[in-house]
């Protein structure tokens, strides 16, 4: 675990992290396959997997409806749904599957890397600001976002936007990264001593993994909830 | 490891490539999900909502229809009860009238029959009396004439007897 290095490669003058590329692709493929299989054979009278899929859609739509009008929330349904599933799978994937070779990890939770979580945070903030401008016009958006409640609030508002962006991304990164690191430490402990160490470590790993599954789900939920809150902040004028 | 913690800025620099990759990956994933799952499922959900609304409307309609029919049936039943009572009353009335008529007629008939029988008997009796009177008169005349004839012509008594016997014989 120590001396862990990152495999990178250059393409078109840009630096890519191999681990992130592989992990992200795997997570996306898993999400797509699950949703694809669940959405086969759609019927008016839903059965089994269709019920589950509709429940998931209703779940993310419910998150959106919690913070904005039902009419406005329909446009963001797909985004929230995809975001939730992708983040959820990304959070959980590293818990049971970590592939390393030559001290280089090739597969783990993509969300354990801040660059990934901040990318999603950035996408959310851009979507929120874009929706604000398209809903209220640039003047209305500027007034609603930066000059409310007072005009002198402007510096704080600008600062807040950055804080929102950073906390949204770093929150999920912190939880998942810490979870994975603790798992690695427990794993290292398992092979550090005798059989007793192994037994204790396996128990600890089990408990921590169960807790991490819960944490991953909570973090995906929190991310989507905050996304919908930020979007509604931008598109709805507070009276 | 700490390079991670410092947003990768301390170590290998900010991986713009990763950000781009994830943005594109996410958009592609969103498009695929929209095409294969989100839009079909949304369509199904909308169709189901429409269907449910329709079903509820039609259920409401048929409930109203049923209520109307029940009210109509009840009304018809009440009406038929009244009609039946009317019919029975009418029948009773007309039966009573008919009875009275028949009894009257029968009494009249009996009266007239009785009267006619009386007059017939009277007539008969008068006729019989008259016939008897005629017979008695003829017989008296005959006897008288015979007596007269005997007194008138005693000599010819024999002849008289003969003629009488002859007359009897003739009468026989």
């Amino acid at each position: 675990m120590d001396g862990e290095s990152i495999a990178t490669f250059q393409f078109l003058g840009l630096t890519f992290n191999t681990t992130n590329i592989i992990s992200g692709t795997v997570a996306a493929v898993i999400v797509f396959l699950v949703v694809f299989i669940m959405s086969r054979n759609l019927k008016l009278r839903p059965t089994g997997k269709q019920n589950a899929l509709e429940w998931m859609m209703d779940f993310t739509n419910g998150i959106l409806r919690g913070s904005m009008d039902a009419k406005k929330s329909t446009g963001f349904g797909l985004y929230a749904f995809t975001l939730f599933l992708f983040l959820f799978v990304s959070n959980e994937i590293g818990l049971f599957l970590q592939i390393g070779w030559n001290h280089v990890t090739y597969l783990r939770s993509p969300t354990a890397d801040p660059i990934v979580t901040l990318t999603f945070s950035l996408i959310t903030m851009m979507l929120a600001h874009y929706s604000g401008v398209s809903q209220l016009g640039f003047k209305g958006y500027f007034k609603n976002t930066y000059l409310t409640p007072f005009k002198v609030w402007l510096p704080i508002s600008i600062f807040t936007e950055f804080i929102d962006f950073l906390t949204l991304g770093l929150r999920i990164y912190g939880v998942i990264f810490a979870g994975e690191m603790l798992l690695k430490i427990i794993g290292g402990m398992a092979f550090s001593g005798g059989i007793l160490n192994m037994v204790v470590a396996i128990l600890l790993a089990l408990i921590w993994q169960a807790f991490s599954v819960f944490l991953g789900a909570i973090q995906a939920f929190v991310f989507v909830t905050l996304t919908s809150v930020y979007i509604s902040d931008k598109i709805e004028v507070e009276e | 490891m700490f390079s991670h913690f410092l947003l990768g800025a301390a170590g290998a620099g900010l991986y713009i490539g990763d950000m781009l990759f994830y943005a594109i990956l996410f958009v592609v994933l969103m498009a695929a999900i929209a095409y294969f799952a989100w839009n079909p499922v949304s369509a199904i959900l909308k169709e189901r909502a429409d269907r449910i609304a329709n079903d509820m409307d039609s259920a409401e309609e048929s409930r109203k229809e049923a209520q109307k029919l029940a009210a109509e049936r009840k009304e018809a039943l009440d009406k038929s009860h009244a009609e039946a009572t009317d019919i029975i009353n009418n029948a009773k009335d007309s039966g009573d009238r008919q009875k009275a008529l028949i009894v009257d007629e029968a009494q009249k008939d009996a009266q007239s029959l009785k009267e006619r029988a009386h007059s017939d008997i009277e007539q008969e009796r008068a006729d019989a009396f008259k016939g008897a009177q005629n017979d008695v008169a003829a017989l008296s005349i005959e006897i008288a004439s015979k007596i007269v004839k005997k007194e008138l012509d005693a000599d010819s008594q024999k002849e008289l007897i003969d003629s009488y016997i002859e007359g009897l014989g003739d009468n026989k």
Side-chain angles (χ1 to χ4, degrees):
Chain A
M1 91 180 199
D2 26 39
E4 182 192 345
S5 55
I6 305 163
T8 58
F9 64 93
Q10 303 273 326
F11 183 69
L12 297 176
L14 296 168
T15 311
F16 291 88
N17 182 336
T18 319
T19 313
N20 283 349
I21 305 296
I22 294 173
S23 308
T25 313
V26 168
V29 166
I30 289 173
V31 168
F32 175 72
L33 282 182
V34 167
V35 172
F36 182 78
I37 290 166
M38 281 176 125
S39 62
R40 293 309 90 190
N41 252 334
L42 293 174
K43 289 189 205 81
L44 207 56
R45 203 178 291 249
T47 51
K49 53 189 173 58
Q50 192 188 343
N51 262 330
L53 183 64
E54 284 177 11
W55 181 83
M56 287 197 294
M57 285 171 66
D58 199 51
F59 177 69
T60 54
N61 281 340
I63 296 174
L64 287 176
R65 276 197 299 270
S67 52
M68 60 182 107
D69 285 354
K71 223 187 287 174
K72 282 176 182 168
S73 74
T74 49
F76 303 105
L78 175 62
Y79 176 68
F81 179 71
T82 314
L83 190 64
F84 179 78
L85 286 186
F86 186 80
L87 287 180
F88 179 74
V89 170
S90 298
N91 290 347
E92 310 295 359
I93 200 172
L95 287 179
F96 56 89
L97 202 62
Q98 293 225 14
I99 297 172
W101 188 54
N102 259 355
H103 294 295
V104 176
T105 309
Y106 286 106
L107 182 64
R108 47 155 202 174
S109 281
T111 40
D113 191 326
I115 200 79
V116 176
T117 58
L118 285 174
T119 305
F120 285 110
S121 177
L122 191 62
I123 294 174
T124 288
M125 294 323 273
M126 281 164 70
L127 181 66
H129 285 268
Y130 170 79
S131 307
V133 174
S134 77
Q135 291 273 326
L136 307 173
F138 189 78
K139 259 186 166 174
Y141 151 79
F142 192 80
K143 189 169 172 296
N144 183 47
T145 307
Y146 299 107
L147 304 180
T148 319
F150 318 112
K151 280 186 179 148
V152 290
W153 222 249
L154 179 66
I156 296 177
S157 293
I158 293 173
F159 191 60
T160 304
E161 293 306 317
F162 280 106
I163 294 293
D164 284 350
F165 159 65
L166 280 176
T167 53
L168 183 61
L170 292 182
R171 181 181 298 108
I172 186 167
Y173 152 71
V175 170
I176 303 306
F177 179 72
E180 288 206 343
M181 194 147 83
L182 197 57
L183 260 188
K184 274 184 201 160
I185 291 170
I186 293 171
M189 185 181 124
F191 297 104
S192 66
I195 196 91
L196 191 67
N197 262 4
M198 179 88 88
V199 172
V200 171
I202 286 174
L203 261 179
L204 274 179
L206 266 176
I207 294 166
W208 183 246
Q209 269 186 326
F211 188 57
S212 289
V213 169
F214 171 70
L215 279 184
I218 287 287
Q219 283 307 313
F221 173 71
V222 165
F223 195 99
V224 174
T225 304
L226 285 175
T227 293
S228 88
V229 167
Y230 292 155
I231 291 175
S232 83
D233 253 9
K234 300 289 175 292
I235 64 173
E236 281 179 348
V237 181
E238 280 160 38
E239 298 299 322
Chain B
M1 196 191 300
F2 283 106
S3 63
H4 274 279
F5 200 73
L6 299 173
L7 308 185
L14 196 65
Y15 299 142
I16 302 288
D18 280 12
M19 298 185 81
L20 265 180
F21 175 78
Y22 270 89
I24 292 165
L25 180 75
F26 190 76
V27 168
V28 169
L29 180 63
M30 221 160 89
I33 285 180
Y35 181 78
F36 286 108
W38 184 266
N39 292 342
V41 173
S42 295
I44 286 270
L45 285 177
K46 192 177 174 307
E47 200 183 329
R48 189 180 307 148
D50 289 354
R51 176 76 68 89
I52 287 169
N54 274 346
D55 285 359
M56 277 162 89
D57 283 355
S58 66
E60 179 71 16
E61 218 159 84
S62 38
R63 199 178 59 87
K64 271 184 192 158
E65 188 82 4
Q67 260 178 352
K68 213 177 76 183
L69 278 178
E72 267 173 18
R73 214 188 50 185
K74 193 169 173 299
E75 200 180 329
L77 205 65
D78 286 354
K79 215 192 263 176
S80 69
H81 269 306
E83 267 173 16
T85 315
D86 263 12
I87 288 170
I88 288 170
N89 285 344
N90 280 351
K92 249 189 217 162
D93 279 3
S94 74
D96 281 353
R97 268 204 306 276
Q98 206 108 352
K99 198 174 90 183
L101 215 67
I102 287 168
V103 167
D104 267 12
E105 222 156 82
Q107 263 173 352
K108 246 185 251 166
D109 276 5
Q111 194 68 31
S112 68
L113 228 62
K114 221 157 88 188
E115 273 168 13
R116 207 189 303 158
H118 268 298
S119 67
D120 275 6
I121 288 166
E122 209 65 33
Q123 185 73 34
E124 208 94 334
R125 205 165 61 179
D127 281 359
F129 191 71
K130 218 173 179 180
Q133 212 173 18
N134 283 349
D135 280 358
V136 168
L139 213 60
S140 305
I141 289 169
E142 211 172 320
I143 291 166
S145 71
K146 273 185 185 155
I147 293 168
V148 168
K149 218 184 245 181
K150 190 185 170 184
E151 279 184 359
L152 226 67
D153 189 7
D155 296 333
S156 56
Q157 197 177 25
K158 198 178 175 329
E159 197 180 334
L160 176 69
I161 292 167
D162 282 350
S163 72
Y164 185 64
I165 291 167
E166 216 169 284
L168 279 176
D170 281 352
N171 277 354
K172 263 183 188 175

